[in-house]
Amino acid sequence: QYKPKKEDKFTFGLWTVNNPGRDPFGDAVRSPMSPVKIVQKLSELGAYGVNLHDNDLVPFGASAQERDRIVKEFKQALSDYDMAFPMATTNLFFHPIFKDGAFTSVNPEVRAFALKKTMASIDLGAELGATIYDFWGGREGVDSEASKDPVVAIERMRYAINFLCQYAIDKGYNMRFVLEPKPNEPRSDTYFPTIGHMLGFIYTLDHPDMVGLNPEVAHEYMSGLNFVHGVAQAIEAGKLFHIDLNDQKGPRYDQDFRFGSENIKNLFFLVKLLEDRGYDGPRHFDAHAYRTEDEEGVWDFAAGCMRTYNIFKEKAKLYNADPELQALLQEINAGDQTYGGLLTNGYSTEAANKLKEAEFDIDALAKRGYKYEKLDQLAVEVILGIR
Ligand code: GLT
Ligand code: MN
Ligand code: MN
Ligand code: MN
């Protein structure tokens, strides 16, 4: 019953299952698998599609012929294994040329190269059928605050996103952009660190309708924020175009753990939010297996991400159907019906006067118990599987 199906829209980046397990203190522990093999294996496990950075597929500096050969073979694999290709992105962080960032680098030649590389990668994404194009800030930030004017950095980022939106429009691509915030790592501070910062920035762009968010669980936890609330704000604004699911132990380095391996309660409420609100974009796992794992462990990791999502989805159904829990929720929220219209119809002089004249039983209001202990225990018991 928890078995992943195509309709679940589970996707993985090539870079996720192909993560070699390198860290700042140790070298790769797994050798790379071919993109074709990854497509095949993910399809067998029940995934819906794959995503990639340009250089996950086509090596940096490959010739045009080599590129075309690789892309042709990859397209064939997508069709052979019935895999969708919803999202693409650019690697603007690995090559040493990007050590000071890409779109916000102080070096104009690097900024120009970053635009050129991204246009080529957008072409690649479009050729493979992607309708979502991701921008993760990578090294767009500073180690030394002295190095960049932070206002100029924001202007440079805006210039790049505006330029590339117009490029995609000019080319007639059916593509929306998503911006992915992260507070730090690899730089000690990254610009646009949270969902809120990115959301504010979107409305300053030339084509705000074309641009939404790609929030990642781990990245908001790194800032110590409540991911469910950030995602809710994105949904409410109509800006949740994509989501990066994984897990994280608190505000530390970016851990990208298997979805649901740590924050079980908060991620249950995340899945409930996505499902209740009818999010219909890809459920992308931007995570990787523990460094201790071999290839078998990588596939255990991938299967585990999808299975846990579906378990939470099932639990969310039970939560919504639990008579005791729902009756309690209704009772708790019943107060909404009072003040007929005064709290819902907006401002009028009449409404203002009525509220000014209203009498409140301050003592009774102050004494009210909200029954959240009881409610939360019921929620926990649903999650723990005993209801
Ligand atoms: C990298 C990063 C992710 C981004 C990927 C897209 S690459 O793994 O940590 O959060 O989503 O550039
Ligand atoms: Mn991500
Ligand atoms: Mn991460
Ligand atoms: Mn990440």
Side-chain angles (χ1 to χ4, degrees):
Q1 139 201 35
Y2 306 123
K3 207 175 156 0
K5 298 171 296 299
K6 297 278 173 194
E7 311 88 84
D8 295 327
K9 287 208 176 168
F10 293 135
T11 63
F12 288 83
L14 287 184
W15 71 90
T16 63
V17 286
N18 232 358
N19 181 291
R22 212 181 279 119
D23 73 19
F25 300 94
D27 212 342
V29 293
R30 293 184 287 264
S31 24
M33 300 179 276
S34 79
V36 170
K37 177 176 177 181
I38 293 173
V39 169
Q40 175 189 357
K41 195 68 197 169
L42 285 174
S43 177
E44 285 166 13
L45 288 174
Y48 160 78
V50 286
N51 308 311
L52 53 72
H53 298 88
D54 48 358
N55 302 137
D56 298 340
L57 184 65
V58 182
F60 190 100
S63 70
Q65 297 96 298
E66 202 187 338
R67 176 215 183 265
D68 290 348
R69 182 188 57 75
I70 294 170
V71 171
K72 196 173 159 210
E73 190 187 45
F74 185 71
K75 266 185 167 170
Q76 189 60 47
L78 291 176
S79 111
D80 288 350
Y81 301 109
D82 187 25
M83 286 284 270
F85 187 80
M87 182 267 259
T89 185
T90 331
N91 189 324
L92 295 172
F93 44 86
F94 193 82
H95 195 282
I97 190 177
F98 299 122
K99 61 192 170 193
D100 186 43
F103 303 139
T104 65
S105 169
V106 297
N107 190 336
E109 273 183 88
V110 172
R111 296 203 299 276
F113 178 72
L115 285 175
K116 174 187 158 118
K117 188 174 195 288
T118 306
M119 286 189 287
S121 179
I122 288 176
D123 293 341
L124 171 67
E127 186 178 343
L128 293 168
T131 54
I132 302 166
Y133 200 86
D134 181 45
F135 292 85
W136 168 57
R139 295 183 190 274
E140 311 290 9
V142 295
D143 303 310
S144 163
E145 199 56 51
S147 63
K148 289 174 186 164
D149 179 327
V151 172
V152 170
I154 290 167
E155 290 164 356
R156 286 182 173 155
M157 190 62 146
R158 181 182 301 113
Y159 183 87
I161 301 294
N162 282 341
F163 190 98
L164 295 164
C165 277
Q166 199 56 56
Y167 177 73
I169 292 168
D170 254 17
K171 284 280 183 176
Y173 294 150
N174 169 30
M175 201 178 258
R176 296 196 294 177
F177 287 4
V178 290
L179 308 182
E180 179 180 353
K182 184 176 180 181
N184 57 272
E185 199 199 17
R187 305 311 292 275
S188 62
D189 286 292
T190 315
Y191 297 120
F192 310 103
T194 68
I195 291 174
H197 291 83
M198 276 301 190
L199 197 53
F201 175 64
I202 287 174
Y203 297 105
T204 72
L205 296 170
D206 287 349
H207 298 285
D209 292 349
M210 190 176 157
V211 185
L213 282 159
N214 179 27
E216 174 172 316
V217 176
H219 298 177
E220 299 299 301
Y221 272 93
M222 289 170 72
S223 299
L225 297 176
N226 181 322
F227 189 65
V228 176
H229 293 183
V231 170
Q233 194 171 351
I235 288 176
E236 204 274 337
K239 287 298 182 196
L240 190 72
F241 295 179
H242 197 268
I243 191 161
D244 276 4
L245 302 169
N246 56 21
D247 214 336
Q248 168 84 12
K249 291 187 199 182
R252 304 181 181 184
Y253 66 96
D254 189 20
Q255 293 168 326
D256 295 329
F257 284 144
R258 188 180 75 256
F259 182 66
S261 56
E262 292 295 331
N263 297 282
I264 291 179
K265 186 179 181 185
N266 199 241
L267 295 181
F268 160 78
F269 280 105
L270 173 70
V271 171
K272 179 167 148 39
L273 173 73
L274 295 174
E275 298 300 323
D276 285 354
R277 294 284 168 177
Y279 168 73
D280 69 351
R283 276 81 170 154
H284 174 232
F285 298 105
D286 186 10
H288 49 76
Y290 300 132
R291 188 165 184 267
T292 47
E293 301 310 291
D294 59 7
E295 191 190 316
E296 187 186 337
V298 169
W299 302 123
D300 288 341
F301 145 83
C305 286
M306 297 189 279
R307 183 171 166 84
T308 299
Y309 188 101
N310 278 348
I311 295 171
F312 284 150
K313 191 167 153 180
E314 181 60 29
K315 298 281 175 222
K317 274 191 202 140
L318 292 178
Y319 183 104
N320 290 339
D322 189 300
E324 193 186 344
L325 202 157
Q326 291 303 320
L328 184 55
L329 261 179
Q330 254 196 351
E331 182 194 330
I332 289 170
N333 285 285
D336 272 9
Q337 274 76 42
T338 49
Y339 295 96
L342 284 181
L343 291 175
T344 44
N345 294 348
Y347 183 83
S348 66
T349 311
E350 200 199 351
N353 288 338
K354 274 198 181 148
L355 282 170
K356 280 180 162 178
E357 285 156 19
E359 300 275 352
F360 295 91
D361 186 344
I362 301 293
D363 280 349
L365 287 174
K367 279 191 189 133
R368 176 191 164 170
Y370 281 77
K371 303 194 182 192
Y372 290 166
E373 286 291 354
K374 192 172 180 183
L375 177 68
D376 192 76
Q377 182 66 25
L378 290 174
V380 166
E381 292 190 10
V382 169
I383 298 167
L384 291 180
I386 65 156
R387 289 186 70 82

